[in-house]
Amino acid sequence: MYHILVVDDESRIRSVIRKYAEFEGHEVTEAGDGMEAVLLCRKNRYDMIIMDIMMPELDGFSACREIRKVSNTPIIMLSARGEEYDRINGFEVGVDDYVTKPFSPKELMLRVDAIMKRVSRSIDPLKGTNKPNVIVEMDHGGLRADVTARLVLIDGERVDMSPKEYDLFFYLLSNRNIALSREKLLCEVWGYDFYGDARTLDTHIKLLRKSLGKYSKYIVTLRGVGYRFEGE
């Protein structure tokens, strides 16, 4: 099972998460604020971090930035607010998933399992090909993607994306000109086999389009279905 770091200034919330996590067989360590969480992550290794946003000493976003300097441990962010700004900010600093309070502890544990399954299997963008290196160029090389190296260049300049943006972009690229439903994308990119939050996908599509700039035109929204990446 997994070693989970639960970070929240409310002991009641930590207690509820601990109860359900331990019931699933996971080991739990608690932290009461972001500063304590950062210090713990500098000394110890965790399989998953569940962290609140609004905390004393150091808020969740700032704590996530610091943790990302030393660890790529998956992070699920908790918040009493459901504003899109929070979701975008969280994903930009490296959050893997976002859960709005009040939440279902059972659903939270399902999300933990889904993320860990995705981490363990990883997306293989080269599946189905024997090529050792796959390079895709569009618009006469203006958009260049090295799938193997997880490298994206726009007009010769490297584009920095979050890990999840890379996963989403290369999955779309590997399946270009194919209509992909939201459910399919959530299952393949996030690992949600039975459910998923479409807002998570839509927010990452917005971030990806922002990263691609003028080449965002290749990501086509299929109303009521999902998305398609168009290109040769």
Side-chain angles (χ1 to χ4, degrees):
M1 291 290 104
Y2 313 125
H3 188 181
I4 302 175
L5 175 62
V6 178
V7 190
D8 198 302
D9 59 323
E10 294 186 46
S11 60
R12 179 180 60 84
I13 298 294
R14 298 199 307 270
S15 178
V16 169
I17 297 175
R18 173 185 283 275
K19 177 181 178 180
Y20 278 82
E22 290 182 341
F23 180 79
E24 296 291 332
H26 305 309
E27 179 183 354
V28 175
T29 297
E30 297 183 25
D33 59 62
M35 187 70 73
E36 184 180 359
V38 172
L39 293 175
L40 284 170
C41 288
R42 288 174 178 172
K43 298 178 181 178
N44 307 290
R45 180 187 177 278
Y46 302 98
D47 298 304
M48 170 69 64
I49 300 171
I50 300 174
M51 182 161 53
D52 189 29
I53 291 179
M54 302 301 292
M55 296 183 293
E57 300 296 335
L58 197 66
D59 65 85
F61 293 141
S62 299
C64 183
R65 289 189 186 92
E66 292 301 314
I67 290 171
R68 281 289 172 259
K69 294 178 181 178
V70 298
S71 172
N72 288 321
T73 300
I75 297 175
I76 295 178
M77 194 74 84
L78 304 176
S79 175
R81 300 180 299 180
E83 297 177 4
E84 186 178 40
Y85 168 79
D86 284 340
R87 300 174 68 84
I88 292 176
N89 195 22
F91 292 137
E92 284 182 333
V93 299
V95 171
D96 292 81
D97 204 349
Y98 191 98
V99 175
T100 303
K101 295 179 179 179
F103 58 87
S104 163
K106 291 183 179 180
E107 179 183 339
L108 180 60
M109 290 301 104
L110 286 173
R111 291 190 182 228
V112 168
D113 287 339
I115 290 173
M116 294 309 299
K117 285 179 182 178
R118 185 262 303 168
V119 169
S120 64
R121 67 175 179 162
S122 297
I123 295 174
D124 183 5
L126 299 179
K127 186 177 181 180
T129 177
N130 294 319
K131 295 180 180 179
N133 200 48
V134 178
I135 297 177
V136 179
E137 292 188 352
M138 304 180 71
D139 267 6
H140 306 289
L143 173 61
R144 186 174 188 272
D146 186 330
V147 180
T148 313
R150 291 172 68 86
L151 179 67
V152 180
L153 298 174
I154 291 181
D155 298 332
E157 296 292 328
R158 180 171 181 171
V159 179
D160 290 323
M161 298 181 181
S162 69
K164 188 53 60 188
E165 280 183 84
Y166 278 116
D167 288 342
L168 178 58
F169 177 57
F170 288 125
Y171 187 79
L172 288 168
L173 196 61
S174 300
N175 294 276
R176 54 191 179 277
N177 298 318
I178 297 174
L180 299 168
S181 68
R182 284 179 166 80
E183 292 75 15
K184 177 69 173 177
L185 288 166
L186 284 167
C187 179
E188 295 297 329
V189 180
W190 276 266
Y192 295 159
D193 296 325
F194 303 108
Y195 73 97
D197 186 346
R199 293 178 301 171
T200 295
L201 170 61
D202 294 339
T203 300
H204 275 86
I205 288 289
K206 286 185 179 181
L207 292 172
L208 181 56
R209 281 173 166 158
K210 179 180 178 182
S211 295
L212 294 177
K214 62 184 179 182
Y215 299 110
S216 62
K217 62 185 179 182
Y218 291 118
I219 300 177
V220 178
T221 300
L222 305 176
R223 184 172 297 180
V225 179
Y227 298 95
R228 179 177 64 241
F229 192 93
E230 295 186 343
E232 298 179 359

